[in-house]
Amino acid sequence: MTRRDFDPETVTPDGRAATKGYVYNSQAEGPWRGVLPGEAINGPITVLAYGNDTLGEGPRLHVHPYDETFVVVAGRARFFVGDDVIEAGAGEAVLGPAGVPHRFENIGPGRLQTIDIHHSTRWIQTDID
């Protein structure tokens, strides 16, 4: 499929160089396997890698001043976003809107692995409980 969503002549490069950063360490201890702040690569988002093998386990209830997009890479999760409860599996994504408290937990079977995209150049969070 060929796409032509915009005219490339209408966009001026902003001068940033292509960069790379390290976001995931499969050998790391604990559930947080890596974080790549947007500031580190001069980009607009921060990326976190989270995973656990324990049913019912996940990050505590918290809130951000920006949107967060969760991508389930492996396993299944139950997301609590404000008053909504959403189950998602590998290949699915869930949005946590700015200012809405949220958390998620592993509902199995097996390992839950997520990539959490913070729509901010750095990770800013307030834990609720």
Side-chain angles (χ1 to χ4, degrees), residues 73-84:
V73 176
R76 293 192 52 76
R78 181 175 295 121
F79 291 85
F80 301 87
V81 183
D83 294 331
D84 295 318

Side-chain angles (χ1 to χ4, degrees), residues 1-58:
M1 172 174 87
T2 301
R3 294 187 60 166
R4 187 157 173 81
D5 298 329
F6 72 101
D7 179 358
E9 297 296 321
T10 65
V11 177
T12 303
D14 64 10
R16 290 180 293 163
T19 57
K20 74 174 184 176
Y22 191 73
V23 69
Y24 182 78
N25 178 356
S26 64
Q27 304 304 312
E29 295 293 324
W32 297 103
R33 299 295 173 99
V35 58
L36 178 61
E39 297 167 325
I41 59 171
N42 202 21
I45 62 171
T46 294
V47 182
L48 282 68
Y50 177 89
N52 78 62
D53 297 294
T54 307
L55 291 178
E57 184 177 302

